[in-house]
């Protein structure tokens, strides 16, 4: 039932090595692909000589950008949105024009625009033969100047990536009230200025992306198996458009299990287009699995937002205005603008700020394209405002908790419209903060600080509140059938599970609606042969939208089943009650189970025509608007000032999800989210050399990720204030662990070092950076 901590169905097969991933699919007579990838960040492709590769043993095809253009393959039509639709703030350029769209060919014919971009595909009898042949391809390059930082790319004179994107500004706009903000800053008693960069990171999936394709010449149908995450429906649309065929001739199948997503799989990769074309060309299935270094070099990446901000306060600490300039590095191709959009509209978080103004740029650079990565845009926004509050408190003499409290939106003022026009639904924001402060023993911290100091360590504590504005593709569809033969309730839904626990949670939800065990509910979501609509898993949309359509479909099934049972028991439908999977005639002992009603509906028992057939229902809904999860986190750190090394001894969170369908799964999501966010604050960085454009963090030797031993046992609590923006009260719950974590970790570290004169350290806050900051502070004293 809803709220029960049901153990995940999928865990047994996953922990016993029986998971079914994309690369587990076996074909007879399969061929294998390998790619020639650009060694340059920016270079013209003058010519490509594939003759030697074509003559090597086992080689079946060698394809270049010119080959695929000649074959009629079109650019990948990424879902970049527009200012004309969507449930977020509808951002546009200052001159009213739309955001830029670049032509993302699966293999470029003109030039490479980032290190690791696929230039040539080789198909051979084995992966090793394909890799050998790829090394024999000779590319004549004309290297061009490159730029890898967003703020550098929009400077005058920067290397240009695309002729139709002048100044590398794919977007150049503003939101809010400039005049009002300027006036408020002019009368402010205090103004805090802050500049920082939420650095670029990558998803580092446990399972590197894998895909395969086959072509049936008799039907003309392509079948693609891929470890994607944005849903098979959208993937099919984009692949069909690139291949230039009707969607009826494309089938997309996602594996039952996916080894990590976090948003960085939520777009169509070049292989998903190239493999089906190659399969048709050679008449055999074609497979590819990215090696780890390929994943580091070519997986879509996340974050990379540079912000210059100002916060105006009156003499009592009340916030008067906010202004920032946000520069989002979207990389070499326009794959997504979502992170930029979602971040800028929440820059004031859950604080009362009367007026605000944000200028924003989407900068194109010679790096891998960025895409929404767990809690897209919101961790960056929360990091900026929460760091500014701590800095303002210290600089202007306020208590950092009370400064937050006097500026937070009280529950009685909800719904609340922030200065960008986003209306938060409802929530006990101050209550969440107070709860996490109590959990973390904030008032008792100074004793722990003093004890650490006796051991020569510097201990600090940080606080961060947060709010999210989640949206996602608004359409979802559920098809639910009660099957009396198998004793299963079959649910077809358009949101794909990529590790979140849908197999259990959705079954639990449908079981709750129908009053039956979740064990007899089957969830299917990964094949366009039976999934016709749905938006996939992103932006916390899965439970939010799926619950609506599943509730509507189950209600229709119950109503139809009531009429069948009434006929069977010879009573009026309004005399039938339904509970715990059974229809009961009121005032008698007449009982018909849900599955018995389904069996009767399928048989010719003299039922009226409208009641004959399967006991099934379809619900297809488009639900606009945002959802607003929120919460608070407290982190403690202990720093060794001699080395800069530090550890996190305590970490506490309170996250409001409206209603927790399965608290155990929500807690698990929170734990994973904390590690991803804290990992960025502490050590993750997809680091590109500013001179050469080379990715300097393309192996695990150079890119550090969090491990269990790096963190304490987290203290997590779920708050449940039902969301008024959702008919069932749900809020998304999969990203809250990440959203406050950047700010809370850096706040804790800088609090630990405040007595040494350190005010701020840029992420990732490595021991080396801490040591350098301490030495610099000493030199300045």
């Amino acid at each position: 039932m809803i709220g029960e901590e049901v153990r995940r169905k999928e865990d047994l097969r996953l922990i016993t090595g029986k998971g079914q991933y994309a690369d587990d699919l076996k074909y007879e007579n399969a061929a294998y692909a390998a790619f020639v990838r650009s060694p340059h960040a920016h270079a013209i492709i003058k010519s490509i000589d594939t003759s030697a590769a074509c003559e090597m043993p086992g080689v079946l095809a060698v394809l270049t950008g010119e080959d695929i253009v000649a074959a009629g393959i079109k650019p990948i039509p990424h879902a970049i949105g527009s200012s004309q639709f969507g449930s977020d703030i509808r951002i546009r350029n200052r001159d009213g024009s739309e955001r830029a769209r670049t032509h993302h060919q699966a293999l470029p014919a003109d030039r490479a625009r980032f290190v690791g971009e696929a230039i040539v595909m080789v198909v051979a009898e084995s992966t090793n033969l394909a890799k050998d042949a790829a090394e024999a391809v000779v590319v004549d390059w004309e290297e061009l100047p490159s730029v890898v930082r967003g703020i550098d790319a929009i400077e005058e004179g920067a290397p240009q990536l695309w002729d139709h994107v002048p100044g590398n500004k794919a977007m150049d706009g503003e939101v809010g009230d400039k005049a009002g903000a300027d006036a408020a800053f002019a009368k402010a008693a205090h103004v805090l200025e802050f500049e920082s960069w939420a650095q670029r990171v990558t998803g580092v999936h446990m399972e590197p992306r894998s895909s395969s394709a086959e072509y049936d010449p008799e039907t003309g149908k392509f079948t693609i198996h891929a470890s994607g995450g944005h849903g098979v429906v959208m993937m099919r649309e984009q692949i069909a458009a690139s291949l230039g065929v009707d969607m009826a001739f494309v089938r997309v199948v996602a594996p039952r299990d996916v080894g990590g997503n976090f948003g960085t799989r939520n777009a169509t990769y070049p292989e998903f287009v190239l493999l089906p074309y190659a399969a048709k060309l050679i008449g055999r299935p074609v497979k590819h699995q990215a090696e780890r270094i390929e994943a580091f070099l070519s997986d879509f990446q996340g974050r990379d937002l540079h912000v210059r901000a100002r916060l105006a306060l009156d003499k009592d600490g009340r916030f008067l205005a906010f202004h920032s300039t946000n520069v989002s590095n979207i990389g070499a191709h326009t794959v997504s603008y979502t992170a930029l959009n979602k971040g800028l509209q929440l820059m004031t978080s859950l604080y009362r700020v009367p007026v605000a103004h944000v200028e924003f740029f989407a900068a194109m650079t010679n790096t891998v394209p960025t895409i929404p990565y767990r809690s897209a845009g919101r961790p960056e926004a929360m990091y900026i405002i929460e760091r500014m509050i701590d800095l303002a408190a210290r600089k202007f003499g306020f208590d950092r908790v009370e400064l937050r409290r006097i500026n937070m939106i009280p529950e009685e003022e909800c719904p609340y419209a922030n200065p960008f026009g986003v209306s938060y639904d409802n929530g006990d924001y101050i209550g969440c903060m107070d709860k996490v402060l109590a959990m973390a023993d904030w008032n008792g911290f100074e004793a722990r600080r003093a004890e650490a100091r006796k051991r020569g360590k510097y201990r600090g504590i940080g606080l961060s509140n947060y709010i999210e504005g989640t949206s996602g593709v608004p359409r979802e569809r559920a098809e639910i059938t009660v099957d009396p033969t198998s004793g299963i309730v079959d649910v077809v839904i358009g949101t794909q599970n990529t590790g979140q626990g849908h197999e259990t949670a959705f079954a639990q939800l449908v079981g709750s609606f129908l009053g039956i065990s979740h064990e007899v509910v089957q969830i299917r979501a990964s094949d366009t042969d039976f999934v016709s609509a749905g938006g996939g898993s992103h932006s916390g949309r899965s439970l939010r939208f799926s619950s609506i359509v599943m509730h509507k479909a189950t209600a229709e099934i119950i109503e139809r089943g009531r009429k069948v049972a009434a006929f069977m028991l010879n009573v009026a439908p309004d005399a039938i009650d339904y509970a715990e999977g059974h229809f009961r005639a009121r005032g008698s002992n007449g009982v018909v189970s849900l599955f018995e009603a389904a069996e009767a509906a399928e048989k010719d028992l003299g039922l009226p025509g409208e009641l004959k057939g399967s006991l099934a229902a379809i619900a297809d809904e488009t639900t606009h608007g945002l959802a607003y999860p929120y919460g608070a986190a407290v982190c403690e750190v202990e720093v060794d000032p001699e080395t800069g090394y530090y550890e996190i001894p305590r970490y506490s969170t309170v996250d409001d999800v409206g209603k927790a369908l399965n608290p155990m799964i929500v807690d698990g999501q929170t734990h994973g989210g904390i590690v991803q966010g804290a990992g960025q604050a502490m050590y993750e960085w997809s680091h590109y050399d500013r001179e050469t454009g080379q990715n300097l963090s393309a192996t695990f030797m150079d890119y550090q990720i969090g491990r269990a031993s790096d963190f304490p046992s987290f203290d997590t609590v779920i708050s449940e204030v039902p969301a008024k923006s959702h008919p069932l009260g749900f809020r998304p719950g999969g990203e809250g662990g990440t959203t406050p974590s950047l700010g809370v970790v850096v706040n804790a570290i800088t609090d630990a070092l405040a007595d040494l004169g350190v005010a701020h350290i840029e992420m990732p806050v490595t021991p080396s950076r801490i040591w350098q900051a301490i030495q610099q502070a000493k030199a300045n004293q």
Side-chain angles (χ1 to χ4, degrees):
M1 298 299 104
I2 293 175
E4 186 178 349
E5 293 193 337
V6 174
R7 290 188 177 274
R8 298 198 336 165
K9 291 182 178 183
E10 52 267 59
D11 285 349
L12 178 61
R13 71 169 183 275
L14 293 175
I15 63 177
T16 56
K18 297 177 182 178
Q20 300 171 20
Y21 298 91
D23 195 53
D24 291 328
L25 183 65
K26 306 300 180 186
Y27 295 96
E28 290 186 10
N29 200 32
Y32 299 84
F35 291 89
V36 177
R37 297 186 178 275
S38 172
H40 303 293
H42 199 192
I44 294 172
I45 304 169
K46 297 179 68 177
S47 66
I48 302 177
D49 184 354
T50 63
S51 57
C54 290
E55 294 174 1
M56 292 183 69
V59 173
L60 302 171
V62 182
L63 298 173
T64 68
E66 290 185 353
D67 294 328
I68 67 167
V69 170
I73 294 179
K74 300 175 178 62
I76 301 168
H78 295 296
I80 64 170
S82 79
S83 64
Q84 304 303 316
F85 62 89
S87 54
D88 294 287
I89 295 294
R90 301 176 186 183
I91 58 173
R92 66 174 69 209
N93 290 317
R94 296 176 198 267
D95 62 5
S97 62
E98 281 293 339
R99 60 200 70 185
R101 177 184 288 277
T102 60
H103 302 294
H104 187 187
Q105 284 285 8
L107 295 174
D110 56 349
R111 66 172 103 164
R113 291 179 171 85
F114 64 90
V115 172
E117 185 166 22
I119 303 301
V120 179
M121 181 172 76
V122 178
V123 182
E125 296 285 355
S126 72
T127 298
N128 286 339
L129 289 172
K131 289 166 66 177
D132 288 344
E135 292 184 0
V137 173
V138 178
V139 182
D140 185 8
W141 299 100
E142 180 183 330
E143 196 169 356
L144 299 172
S146 62
V147 60
V148 297
R149 290 288 296 273
I151 55 173
D152 296 337
I154 61 175
E155 291 293 326
E156 187 174 349
Q160 299 294 290
L161 272 74
W162 298 89
D163 292 340
H164 71 290
V165 186
N168 296 319
K169 297 175 182 176
M171 286 204 81
D172 174 358
E174 60 184 332
V175 295
D177 181 356
K178 182 180 186 305
D182 288 345
F185 274 103
K187 69 178 184 180
H190 306 291
V191 174
L192 189 283
E193 297 186 356
F194 181 57
E195 179 176 352
S196 191
W197 178 43
Q199 79 278 19
R200 178 178 287 241
V201 294
T202 188
V204 199
H205 312 113
M206 185 183 301
E207 171 205 13
R209 69 178 187 273
S210 180
S211 51
S212 60
E214 54 188 329
Y215 176 74
D216 185 343
E218 293 186 5
T219 63
K221 191 168 187 175
F222 298 93
T223 299
I224 299 95
H225 296 259
S227 53
H230 58 312
V232 291
V233 174
M234 185 182 297
M235 194 185 300
R236 178 180 64 169
E237 293 173 356
Q238 295 181 357
I239 293 171
S242 289
L243 293 174
V245 300
D246 189 274
M247 283 195 299
F249 295 100
V250 174
R251 177 190 180 194
V252 174
V253 183
R256 186 177 187 182
D257 300 305
V258 176
N261 178 19
F262 320 122
T264 47
R265 293 195 199 268
N266 283 350
T268 298
Y269 282 88
E271 307 96 271
F272 302 170
V273 174
L274 295 169
L275 295 184
Y277 171 69
K280 179 180 180 181
L281 184 68
I282 69 172
R284 293 168 59 175
V286 182
K287 292 189 68 175
H288 173 260
Q289 183 172 45
E291 296 183 346
R292 182 61 68 182
I293 194 167
E294 285 187 283
F296 273 118
L297 291 174
S298 61
D299 278 357
F300 297 134
Q301 299 180 341
R303 310 289 188 239
D304 208 340
L305 180 75
H306 183 275
V307 178
R308 293 187 183 95
R310 294 181 297 145
L311 179 66
L313 304 86
D314 69 14
K315 62 181 179 61
D316 297 318
R318 304 281 180 180
F319 298 160
L320 300 176
F322 176 89
H323 171 265
S324 70
T325 301
N326 295 13
V327 180
S328 176
N329 183 350
I330 66 171
H333 298 286
T334 55
V335 174
S336 176
Y337 291 89
T338 300
L340 173 65
N341 193 348
K342 287 186 176 297
L344 67 88
Q345 67 189 9
L346 293 175
M347 292 300 293
T348 56
S349 186
L350 39 67
Y351 302 103
R352 289 179 294 191
V353 181
V355 62
H357 176 233
V358 174
E359 300 173 85
F360 61 86
F361 300 90
M364 306 213 68
T365 66
N366 297 110
T367 61
V368 180
T370 51
I371 196 171
Y373 174 69
R374 200 166 191 168
S375 188
R378 283 94 73 182
E380 302 95 300
M382 300 304 111
Y383 163 72
I384 294 295
I385 190 67
E386 292 294 329
R387 284 296 297 128
M388 294 183 81
I389 295 172
D390 265 29
L391 288 165
R394 197 168 297 278
K395 183 175 182 179
F396 305 130
F398 299 107
D399 178 86
R400 50 190 166 145
V401 173
E402 291 310 309
L403 185 57
R404 287 173 168 84
R405 188 186 309 280
I406 65 172
N407 285 290
M408 289 176 74
I409 302 163
E411 190 170 13
E412 58 270 19
E413 291 187 16
C414 294
Y416 182 88
N418 81 4
F420 305 110
V422 177
S423 292
Y424 306 158
D425 52 1
N426 65 299
D428 184 10
Y429 310 138
I430 297 174
C432 263
M433 183 180 74
D434 287 340
K435 185 177 292 185
V436 81
L437 291 172
M439 287 167 52
D441 186 25
W442 182 277
N443 291 335
F445 172 73
E446 290 304 325
R448 297 192 292 279
R449 191 199 297 272
E451 186 277 330
R453 194 68 59 86
K454 291 178 182 178
R455 294 184 281 107
K457 301 295 179 65
Y458 282 72
R459 192 156 177 145
I461 191 168
L463 167 67
S464 177
N465 295 306
Y466 78 89
I467 191 167
E468 298 184 76
T470 65
S471 54
V473 175
R475 183 185 177 190
E476 196 50 70
R477 178 184 174 96
E479 301 178 18
I480 303 180
T481 303
V482 181
D483 183 355
T485 303
S486 65
I488 291 292
V489 174
D490 181 65
V491 181
V492 174
I493 195 78
T495 67
Q496 185 182 334
N497 178 32
T498 57
Q500 301 93 327
H502 294 177
E503 193 174 328
T504 301
F506 286 1
Q508 187 177 347
L509 187 63
V510 171
S512 179
F513 291 154
L514 292 175
I516 59 176
S517 169
H518 70 280
E519 296 287 357
V520 300
V521 180
Q522 168 183 273
I523 306 297
R524 296 189 295 143
S526 58
D527 189 334
T528 54
D529 267 9
F530 55 77
V531 177
S532 59
S537 295
H538 60 275
S539 193
R541 69 174 299 282
S542 297
L543 176 62
R544 180 183 172 215
F545 292 146
S546 295
S547 62
I548 293 172
V549 291
M550 289 189 291
H551 185 256
K552 184 175 181 180
T554 53
E556 186 175 330
I557 285 172
I558 291 171
E559 185 57 32
R560 185 158 171 257
R562 177 179 282 109
K563 294 176 181 177
V564 173
F567 181 87
M568 295 172 68
L569 297 173
N570 197 29
V571 298
D574 59 7
I576 295 289
D577 295 323
Y578 181 77
E580 298 179 341
H582 291 80
F583 299 95
R584 290 180 169 84
R586 201 175 305 120
S588 76
N589 59 0
V591 179
V592 175
S593 75
L594 178 67
F595 289 101
E596 288 171 339
E599 183 178 20
E602 291 183 0
K603 295 181 177 179
D604 187 5
L605 300 178
L607 287 167
E610 69 274 11
L611 298 182
K612 293 181 180 178
S614 298
L615 188 56
I618 296 172
D620 194 324
E621 298 286 325
T622 298
T623 307
H624 291 289
L626 277 67
Y628 302 96
Y630 63 92
V634 169
C635 173
E636 286 188 34
V637 301
E638 195 166 280
V639 181
D640 180 349
E642 299 299 319
T643 64
Y645 174 79
Y646 65 98
E647 58 185 0
I648 298 176
R650 298 180 66 159
Y651 196 110
S652 307
T653 69
V654 176
D655 301 280
D656 196 292
V657 297
K659 283 185 180 179
L661 170 56
N662 186 317
M664 185 186 302
I665 290 178
V666 175
D667 280 335
Q669 291 278 342
T670 302
H671 288 202
I674 292 169
V675 172
Q676 282 186 273
Q680 175 172 0
M682 297 166 71
Y683 29 62
E684 291 191 43
W685 183 12
S686 292
H687 180 32
Y688 288 81
D689 184 84
R690 294 177 83 164
E691 298 298 323
T692 65
Q694 293 293 323
N695 187 330
L696 303 181
S697 54
T699 73
F700 281 124
M701 293 289 288
D702 308 293
Y703 191 98
Q704 183 180 352
I705 60 172
R707 290 175 277 190
S709 58
D710 296 327
F711 296 96
S713 180
F714 302 123
D715 188 7
T716 61
V717 166
I718 299 170
S719 170
E720 295 184 272
V721 175
K724 294 182 179 180
S725 57
H726 191 279
L728 301 173
F730 291 124
R731 304 182 203 274
E735 298 175 322
T738 303
T739 312
S741 55
L742 308 186
V744 77
V745 170
V746 181
N747 280 348
I749 293 169
T750 51
D751 178 63
L753 303 176
D755 288 350
L756 296 173
V758 176
H760 178 68
I761 303 175
E762 282 290 280
M763 298 184 295
V765 188
T766 60
S768 175
R769 286 186 170 182
I770 289 176
W771 187 87
Q772 290 172 353
I774 292 172
Q775 305 315 306
Q776 186 63 50
K778 288 179 179 179
N780 293 337
Q781 289 177 352

